């Protein structure tokens, strides 16, 4: 089940990692994505660190690490074809992170709470 | 959307078409429609895009004594262009200058036989009109009962010829009045995209009906301000308030071409406009810096305000990006910046983006090949 951050990221727990992308709402707000800069694999990050840069035709924005941990994988295919974020935001994952403090996503919004946020 | 934004006659149509409305120069304007900036941009380059530019200022300048030459000379006291030599039915591009030699606004002006029609930027319209009202011997009439459309793209002419057959004979920068279904259209063959196209002033009462008639044509899609900006950027056209303003001179903005010989030193009507001494001296000697095209390496856009450095490390900025973004037709980032003169085309400078310096090639403007119908 997906969880959501207030920064319009979706989070999915897989094994001992969390997969991170952005929501359809975020992708619509950004407009056509033309450039994505991904973090280096193995980078240790704190919660809130800006780890991804997304440039759309309109503006630059960031994706923050939802939790502290280590970046274990990045979706370099997405960096080569950034329009995938607009085409299918739920399939367009950006990175996987191995949390420093367990994979519980209890503190994040569920679908109902997120839908209420973007209402 | 703030409630005090002015609405064009097409506001309801934009909303019905699903536009995202944003405040722009005091107006509520469509920045994009559901298809998005990229698709709208590419549609305009391939087919025909319809733009609502009703926020722009339309102004009539009429000689009180009926003598157009006298009105032309009055306009020449504010605009360093050849207004006197502009034939009836033709339009030119020009600049309002200020006493410091900077640019007050840029505009189009057309000779319509017994008056001039000016089109100025929305954000500058009030200031420009006040400026024009200082002229003696002319009546200045802001046009408040008409909207303005632009139909741009390689199929624009075919579309318009279907609705208004007489437009087929218009050439680039012709300005003519034609009638569609009893409605008087003020048309010029011009635009702000680098494509062939038309700008069309329509009575407010008929604006929506005419816009809908254009949208009903299979080639035509509505285009928002987002794509208007990327189209003009690829076409190398400066935007007032960004690539030029009251502190940027015509030579620095690479707009010296709009000041003809007759208004330059030694010309028959040299000078006689605000800032003439400084502007003409700089045109003769060459400016210390000039607006250039930039193509960054990679795909990351460099946007307005990004610092440009001569070298990959150290030093002070040699300029800042005045307009920049992603060029959908170029399929890469494009930008403009005022840089020290003497850097050849193809030279590499560096843009500082998120703490890193990216190589940027100085590139001739425009980034695309314009297709005007000359």
């Amino acid at each position: 089940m997906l969880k959501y951050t207030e920064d319009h990221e979706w989070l999915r727990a897989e094994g001992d990692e969390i997969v991170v992308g952005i929501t359809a709402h975020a992708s619509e707000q950004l407009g056509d994505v033309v450039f994505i800069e991904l973090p280096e694999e193995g980078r240790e990050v704190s919660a809130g660190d800006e780890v991804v840069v997304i440039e759309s035709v309109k503006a630059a924005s960031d994706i923050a690490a939802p939790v502290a941990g280590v970046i274990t994988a990045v979706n370099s295919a997405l960096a080569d074809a950034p329009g995938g974020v607009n085409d299918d935001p739920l399939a367009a994952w950006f990175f996987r992170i191995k949390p420093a403090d367990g994979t519980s996503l209890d503190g994040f919004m569920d679908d109902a709470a997120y839908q209420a946020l973007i209402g | 959307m703030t409630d005090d934004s002015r609405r064009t006659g097409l506001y309801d149509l934009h909303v019905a078409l699903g536009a995202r409305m944003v405040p722009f120069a005091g107006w509520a304007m469509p920045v994009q429609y559901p298809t998005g900036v990229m698709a709208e941009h590419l549609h305009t380059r391939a087919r025909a895009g319809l733009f609502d530019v009703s926020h722009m200022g339309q102004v009539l300048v009429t000689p009180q004594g009926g003598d157009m030459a006298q009105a032309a000379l009055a306009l020449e006291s504010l605009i360093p262009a050849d207004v006197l030599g502009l034939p009836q039915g033709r339009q030119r591009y020009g600049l309002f200058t200020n006493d410091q030699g900077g640019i007050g606004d840029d505009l189009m002006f057309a000779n319509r036989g017994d008056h001039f029609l000016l089109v100025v930027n929305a954000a500058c319209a009030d200031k420009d009109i006040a400026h024009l009202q200082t002229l003696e011997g002319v009546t200045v009439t802001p046009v408040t009962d008409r909207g303005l459309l632009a139909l741009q793209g390689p199929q624009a002419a075919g579309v318009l010829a279907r609705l208004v057959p007489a437009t087929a004979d218009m050439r680039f920068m012709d300005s003519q009045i034609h009638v569609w279904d009893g409605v008087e259209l003020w048309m010029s063959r011009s635009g702000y995209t680098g494509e062939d196209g038309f700008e069309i002033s329509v009575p407010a009462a008929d604006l929506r009906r005419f816009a809908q008639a254009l949208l009903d044509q299979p080639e035509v899609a509505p285009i928002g301000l987002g794509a208007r900006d990327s189209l003009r950027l690829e076409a190398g056209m400066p935007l007032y308030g960004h690539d030029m303003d009251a502190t940027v001179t015509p030579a620095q903005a690479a707009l010296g071409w709009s000041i003809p010989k007759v208004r330059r030193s030694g010309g028959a009507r040299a000078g006689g406009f605000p800032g003439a001494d400084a502007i003409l001296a700089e045109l003769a000697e060459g400016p210390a810096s000039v607006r250039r095209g930039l193509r960054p390496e990679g795909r990351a856009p460099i946007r307005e305000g990004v610092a440009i450095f001569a070298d990959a490390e150290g030093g002070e900025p040699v300029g800042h990006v005045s307009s920049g973004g992603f060029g959908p037709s170029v399929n890469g980032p494009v930008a403009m910046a005022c840089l020290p003169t003497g850097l050849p085309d193809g030279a590499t400078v560096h843009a500082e983006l998120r703490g890193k310096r990216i190589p940027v090639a100085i590139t001739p403007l425009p980034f695309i090949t314009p297709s005007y119908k000359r």
Side-chain angles (χ1 to χ4, degrees):
Chain A
M1 195 181 72
L2 292 180
K3 293 280 194 163
Y4 302 89
T5 73
E6 288 174 359
D7 297 329
H8 308 285
E9 296 159 50
W10 57 255
L11 312 175
R12 188 174 66 228
E14 276 189 20
D16 59 354
E17 297 175 341
I18 297 170
V19 187
V20 182
I22 65 169
T23 65
H25 173 78
S27 121
E28 278 164 30
Q29 294 297 315
L30 282 172
D32 303 296
V33 174
V34 296
F35 172 78
I36 294 169
E37 187 175 281
L38 295 167
E40 284 174 24
E41 290 177 5
R43 179 173 153 194
E44 227 172 285
V45 299
S46 305
D49 281 1
E50 291 166 359
V51 288
V52 175
V53 175
I54 304 180
E55 294 264 10
S56 75
V57 288
K58 279 181 280 187
S61 47
D62 305 296
I63 296 183
V67 296
V70 176
I71 305 290
T72 53
V74 299
N75 186 357
S76 46
L78 190 62
D80 294 336
V85 176
N86 302 108
D87 298 337
D88 191 354
L90 291 181
W93 64 280
F94 286 79
F95 59 91
R96 304 172 74 97
I97 184 168
K98 186 171 181 178
D101 303 315
T103 53
S104 169
L105 294 178
D106 289 348
F108 294 98
M109 283 178 277
D110 61 13
D111 193 60
Y114 182 68
Q115 293 305 325
L117 175 77
I118 61 176
Chain B
M1 182 59 52
T2 50
D3 291 331
D4 55 354
S5 290
R6 298 172 70 185
R7 293 179 175 186
T8 77
L10 296 184
Y11 180 89
D12 291 345
L13 177 61
H14 298 316
V15 171
L17 291 168
R20 185 179 303 169
M21 304 300 289
V22 298
F24 180 84
W27 293 78
M29 298 301 290
V31 67
Q32 66 166 83
Y33 298 88
T35 49
V37 174
M38 191 92 82
E40 292 170 27
H41 177 116
L42 295 172
H43 181 94
T44 304
R45 292 254 186 267
R47 306 195 75 190
L50 180 67
F51 303 73
D52 180 11
V53 287
S54 300
H55 59 309
M56 298 192 75
Q58 305 177 61
V59 188
L60 304 182
V61 176
T62 309
Q64 285 161 1
D67 180 4
M68 279 292 276
Q70 176 261 326
L73 292 172
L75 287 172
E76 286 194 357
S77 73
L78 298 179
I79 303 167
D82 181 6
V83 186
L84 186 63
L86 179 66
Q88 183 174 343
R90 295 287 292 163
Q91 172 178 279
R92 275 183 187 146
Y93 175 82
L95 306 170
F96 287 110
T97 55
N98 64 32
D99 290 338
Q100 291 71 46
I103 300 172
D105 195 7
D106 64 342
L107 77 155
M108 290 287 194
F109 57 94
N111 178 342
R112 302 214 309 170
D114 57 4
H115 63 269
F116 290 95
L117 168 63
L118 279 54
V119 178
V120 303
N121 282 301
C124 299
D126 290 347
K127 180 190 66 179
D128 293 341
I129 289 164
H131 207 180
L132 288 163
Q133 282 168 338
T134 65
L135 297 175
E136 289 184 8
V138 297
T139 302
V140 176
T141 314
V143 179
T144 54
D145 57 353
R146 299 181 79 94
L148 193 64
L149 303 175
L151 187 71
Q152 301 279 298
Q155 296 179 346
V159 166
L160 267 184
R162 210 176 295 143
L163 297 182
V164 191
T167 57
D169 297 330
M170 290 178 72
R171 289 178 304 128
F172 184 59
M173 294 297 244
D174 275 351
S175 172
Q176 298 178 357
I177 294 176
H178 292 291
V179 176
W180 169 78
D181 199 21
V183 178
E184 187 178 279
L185 306 175
W186 301 350
M187 316 188 76
S188 64
R189 194 154 193 168
S190 53
Y192 196 48
T193 60
E195 298 298 322
D196 181 28
F198 296 80
E199 292 169 298
I200 311 160
S201 171
V202 188
D206 304 294
L207 182 63
R208 175 143 185 187
R209 196 164 62 90
F210 183 64
Q212 192 62 57
L214 290 172
L215 289 172
D216 287 344
Q217 307 302 312
E219 301 92 333
V220 180
I223 311 296
L225 289 183
R228 182 169 161 85
D229 193 53
S230 57
L231 288 158
R232 69 91 196 167
L233 177 58
E234 282 185 343
M237 294 168 165
L239 174 61
Y240 192 79
H242 299 263
D243 307 297
M244 56 178 157
D245 59 29
T247 69
V248 175
T249 64
Q252 289 164 357
L255 296 172
W257 58 268
S258 74
I259 306 178
K261 254 186 197 168
V262 69
R263 303 302 308 279
R264 297 196 187 199
S265 307
R269 299 193 308 285
F273 52 87
D277 289 351
I279 288 170
L280 295 182
E282 189 183 44
L283 282 171
E285 293 159 16
S289 61
V290 66
R291 179 171 59 92
R292 303 295 294 273
L294 301 175
R295 289 222 40 194
E297 205 170 85
R299 284 180 66 86
I302 57 172
R303 301 181 195 272
E304 184 171 358
V306 166
I308 303 294
F309 294 82
D311 299 311
E313 286 176 27
E316 294 296 314
V318 293
H320 292 86
V321 171
S322 53
S323 284
F326 192 82
S329 302
V330 169
N331 192 25
V334 290
M336 299 193 284
C338 203
L339 297 179
T341 42
L343 293 163
D345 285 334
T348 300
V349 291
H350 296 80
E352 194 159 284
L353 195 61
R354 296 180 276 270
K356 279 182 258 176
R357 292 210 186 160
I358 296 171
V360 173
I362 297 181
T363 307
L365 294 171
F367 298 102
I368 50 107
T369 307
S371 46
Y372 306 129
K373 179 84 175 177
R374 294 195 190 268

